[in-house]
Amino acid sequence: MQPILHQAHDAKYAIPQINVNGLIWIEGILRAAEKKRAPIILGTTDKIIDYLGGYEFICKLIHLKAQSLNITTPYVIHLDHGNSVESCIKAIDAGYDSVMYDGSRLPLEENIENMKKVVNYAHQHHVLVEGEIGGIGGNEDGLVNEVQYADLDECKQLVQQTQLDALAPALGSVHGRYQGEPKLGFKEMTEINEQVAVPLVLHGASGLSDEDLKKAILLGHSKINFNTEINIAWSQYIRQRLNADVTLFNAKEIVAPSIHVIQSTVESIIDKCDAAERV
Ligand code: 13P
């Protein structure tokens, strides 16, 4: 993860993180990355890890699927919004390449203390660590939050005191659907980018304009997270297919073609992040 993240940071493009919501997501994401010759991050949110089968199961499944599809582009398995130090350690032991410890709701001192433990363990295992300051709004799989802008001084303290590798400063972005026009804090983003040494991560990217994504990339965002955009495209397809033929019940006939919807949505995200033809 470390070399591809820094390559993206230097060349001013972003690696998309696409959240996994089941087996067909893995296939759609990997096929898109391979076709586009793009590095890719497969994210699993801690909130739904039991539904996905657990850290070890999903990690092995991704590797086996990548092998069976002969994937040659670099792919990273990442824990999204790790709930606790223990869950990050479990993910690392299961073989994850990268973990996010989300201590953003805790007092800064506690976030820092816990983050130090995660970084210490992760770096011994060559695993990258992402942290968060402020509050990303909206709802992601039951993780509900108010928008709260990241404080520059807190960003600096978290990075300097913990040696984490990537920082997600919340600056108005939202998980799920935006209510009204998204308004990102580009002024604050400029300051954070100038004064924080690590690559930045943008959460809540579904629903942002191409122009906002471009600006965020130029202002240091080298990893951009998408979940909702793929889920909307996928669920629209399934809904239309079932409505179009109410006699349909064969599961494979319903589900298998939807992989192409996931793949094509991820391909367009790769283009928006300018990550195509990078490997
Ligand atoms: P969206 O809900 O906007 O797709 O954001 C996903 C995300 O940030 C995952 O951490």
Side-chain angles (χ1 to χ4, degrees), residues 24-25 233-262:
I24 57 169
W25 270 255
W234 174 80
S235 56
Q236 272 173 354
Y237 171 82
I238 294 283
R239 204 170 291 120
Q240 275 163 11
R241 184 149 171 79
L242 291 175
N243 285 339
D245 182 354
V246 291
T247 65
L248 202 57
F249 64 89
N250 181 299
K252 189 184 161 204
E253 272 181 49
I254 299 167
V255 174
S258 74
I259 297 174
H260 301 293
V261 179
I262 296 173

Side-chain angles (χ1 to χ4, degrees), residues 175-224:
H175 288 130
R177 287 182 196 265
Y178 280 81
Q179 309 290 332
E181 276 294 297
K183 281 199 187 70
L184 298 187
F186 287 111
K187 184 177 152 281
E188 294 81 355
M189 204 183 277
T190 307
E191 285 168 1
I192 292 172
N193 183 40
E194 278 167 5
Q195 296 189 45
V196 165
V198 295
L200 302 179
V201 178
L202 179 63
H203 285 247
S206 302
L208 294 180
S209 65
D210 292 3
E211 202 192 337
D212 278 1
L213 291 175
K214 248 186 222 148
K215 269 197 216 167
I217 293 171
L218 290 177
L219 292 172
H221 287 84
S222 315
K223 171 176 177 284
I224 303 191

Side-chain angles (χ1 to χ4, degrees), residues 17 19 80-81 140 174-176 203-206 225-228:
Q17 174 192 307
N19 281 29
D80 191 28
H81 295 284
E140 182 174 68
V174 161
H175 288 130
H203 285 247
S206 302
N225 296 3
F226 296 84
N227 186 24
T228 304

